[in-house]
Amino acid sequence: KRQGVNAMTAYIDLPLSGLEAPLSEMEQLVQDTCHRFAEEVLRPAGPLMDAMTPEQTVAPDSPLWRVLEQAQGLGLSIKDMLEMDPQERERLLLIASEELAWGDGGLAGMILVNQMPALYSALAGNMEMVEYCDGKLGCWGITEPDHGSDTLDHNGALQASGGRYGRPNCVARIEGDKIIINGQKSAWVSGAITAQVCAVYCHVKENGETRPGIVAIVPLDLPGVTKGKPLDKLGLRSLNQGELYFDNVEVPIAHLLAGPEGYADMVYHTLAEANVHVANLAVGVGRAAYEHALAYAHQRKQGGQAIIRHQSVHHRLFHMFRKIEAARALVRRVADYNATAHLPALQGSVAAKVTATQSAFEVASEALQIFGGNGLTREYPMEKLLRDTRACLIAEGCNEFLSLKGGTLLINPDLV
């Protein structure tokens, strides 16, 4: 039986996931645990690290190490979660990561990227490497100094007419039971400075010819591996990023996740997975901006009343609300499809990433506007959230390039 309400004035206190269907008991436990961790651990640590120099964020006395130590208790190990149904596993990861990103986008990114070598090992079906990477701090490296988002276009479909991407900066060769890697990965390898293992994506040289490519798990304490300095950047400053250099680094062949024949397939599956998770982080950060603005609009008074009573303000807030809900819905829908489909839809993952990151940036910008001059100061969270959401537009491939890539996947070769 319907409850009687004044339909024009009804207020509903929505749960953390907004308009999501009710969570299962396990999902609710994960959400509550991660939300509490985000509120009690990430929200205090994030602004502190945002104000530090890049070197300070990775120093032995940095709050980062305590955060990562405590995060191990969240139960988000890929090895343990592989026992779950793919849909259940993906959904739990998204629920957990959204709450962590609500706490701090950079630290949520750190917690997630540490799992990537194990996750990509699982995608490749290499359970030995899943076991090897479990419990280690990780990263994955694909972009290079002379090759940014174009490394996502392994077949050259998006090259300018008559153009070429040029020589790769990192090349491997296979000799017997070893993979030998030489070259450099760019300063945008997330988690590189603190990582112990890296999932390296690079070209391979065979029979005098260099081509894409291989994927291998590389321990970063091997002879010949060196790291650059942490990058000083605009947003997501608690997520360290930096170069990796390889000088005749020898890796056992057992660490190979994909060889030249399987490289294209591995990159496809990697991007289908990674783009969804970046999109999901953006939802969490954007939601934080919206919630801060909503609370502030109830507290701040102008013209003799709370500013949320002003039409222009609650009009802004409504559009922020709908953008977050729409972005989350698309992210969860794509993740659910990809977890059950024979082949994940990369165009769906790209759509989720572009939609969620653009929406989060727009929401953060509107949220800062609601704070007015206060939003520009570091006494309030808005300027940091704006910087963090801006960084998301470029993370895991800039949105413009990804959109072009997604568009090529809509072409039916049987019709043209």
Side-chain angles (χ1 to χ4, degrees):
K1 182 180 179 180
R2 292 181 181 272
Q3 293 183 346
V5 297
N6 182 341
M8 298 303 293
T9 60
Y11 172 76
I12 300 172
D13 190 10
L14 293 172
L16 297 178
S17 294
L19 299 173
E20 283 281 286
L23 305 184
S24 69
E25 185 176 348
M26 173 62 77
E27 291 168 347
Q28 190 65 62
L29 176 62
V30 167
Q31 185 182 67
D32 291 344
T33 300
C34 290
H35 186 79
R36 185 167 56 253
F37 182 82
E39 187 169 39
E40 296 176 358
V41 178
L42 302 188
R43 284 206 162 177
L48 288 176
M49 295 184 64
D50 183 72
M52 293 178 175
T53 67
E55 290 76 16
Q56 289 171 334
T57 64
V58 296
D61 60 348
S62 170
L64 174 65
W65 303 107
R66 178 62 176 160
V67 168
L68 295 179
E69 180 183 354
Q70 291 177 283
Q72 292 179 357
L74 295 174
L76 300 179
S77 163
I78 295 298
K79 176 188 171 184
D80 295 338
M81 297 186 80
L82 284 178
E83 300 176 4
M84 299 179 180
D85 174 86
Q87 279 180 286
E88 181 185 13
R89 178 175 67 247
E90 196 73 6
R91 185 167 166 80
L92 281 176
L93 276 173
L94 294 181
I95 289 171
S97 293
E98 181 184 326
E99 297 310 313
L100 298 178
W102 173 89
D104 184 79
L107 289 172
M110 276 299 308
I111 294 169
L112 180 63
V113 78
N114 285 329
Q115 301 292 334
M116 289 306 179
L119 179 60
Y120 298 156
S121 296
L123 288 178
N126 190 327
M127 294 303 110
E128 181 182 348
M129 285 298 101
V130 173
E131 184 78 31
Y132 177 81
C133 294
D134 185 56
K136 294 181 175 67
L137 302 181
C139 65
W140 73 289
I142 187 169
T143 59
E144 299 175 357
D146 297 323
H147 307 282
S149 297
D150 64 46
T151 53
L152 310 181
D153 183 40
H154 59 85
N155 60 358
L158 301 182
Q159 291 181 106
S161 179
R164 295 187 63 181
Y165 286 143
R167 295 175 57 187
N169 298 111
C170 188
V171 178
R173 66 183 189 274
I174 298 176
E175 294 185 357
D177 60 353
K178 294 179 181 179
I179 306 164
I180 303 173
I181 305 174
N182 280 282
Q184 177 185 356
K185 287 298 173 181
S186 75
W188 298 105
V189 179
S190 297
I193 308 304
T194 52
Q196 297 166 300
V197 293
C198 179
V200 174
Y201 292 62
C202 66
H203 277 62
V204 64
K205 190 170 185 178
E206 289 185 322
N207 302 319
E209 179 185 358
T210 301
R211 63 190 179 102
I214 68 160
V215 185
I217 297 297
V218 180
L220 297 181
D221 60 354
L222 288 177
V225 176
T226 55
K227 299 179 180 181
K229 63 181 182 179
L231 196 63
D232 195 356
K233 53 199 171 76
L234 177 80
L236 300 176
R237 289 175 59 83
S238 53
L239 172 63
N240 71 81
Q241 294 175 297
E243 296 107 335
L244 292 173
Y245 300 89
F246 306 95
D247 182 11
N248 285 318
V249 176
E250 296 186 0
V251 182
I253 196 69
H255 286 229
L256 187 70
L257 301 186
E261 301 309 316
Y263 184 79
D265 183 64
M266 186 65 186
V267 171
Y268 183 97
H269 282 80
T270 298
L271 296 180
E273 187 75 24
N275 272 265
V276 168
H277 289 292
V278 173
N280 188 60
L281 288 176
V283 171
V285 180
R287 187 185 115 206
Y290 162 68
E291 290 182 7
H292 279 301
L294 183 63
Y296 185 80
H298 281 83
Q299 299 162 4
R300 175 69 169 170
K301 291 186 178 181
Q302 289 285 286
Q305 60 183 348
I307 62 172
I308 199 167
R309 293 291 187 182
H310 294 235
Q311 285 187 330
S312 63
V313 174
H314 60 241
H315 178 268
R316 283 178 189 269
L317 286 165
F318 170 74
H319 285 291
M320 293 158 65
F321 164 77
R322 72 166 178 82
K323 287 178 181 181
I324 295 300
E325 289 296 326
R328 181 193 293 113
L330 179 58
V331 170
R332 302 274 174 99
R333 183 180 178 91
V334 170
D336 191 56
Y337 177 90
N338 287 351
T340 56
H342 174 67
L343 180 68
L346 178 55
Q347 63 267 46
S349 299
V350 168
K353 194 271 179 177
V354 172
T355 299
T357 55
Q358 185 65 42
S359 295
F361 179 61
E362 292 171 1
V363 166
S365 181
E366 291 290 347
L368 188 149
Q369 195 72 13
I370 287 175
F371 274 75
N374 285 338
L376 299 173
T377 72
R378 294 196 172 184
E379 293 182 34
Y380 292 82
M382 297 318 308
E383 64 87 26
K384 176 182 180 298
L385 288 168
L386 184 66
R387 288 186 284 110
D388 287 349
T389 55
R390 183 62 183 85
C392 291
L393 299 179
I394 297 174
E396 301 302 333
C398 67
N399 284 2
E400 294 80 5
F401 193 93
L402 287 174
S403 297
L404 291 173
K405 187 67 176 178
T408 66
L409 298 171
L410 304 179
I411 301 171
N412 187 339
D414 294 333
L415 300 179
V416 292

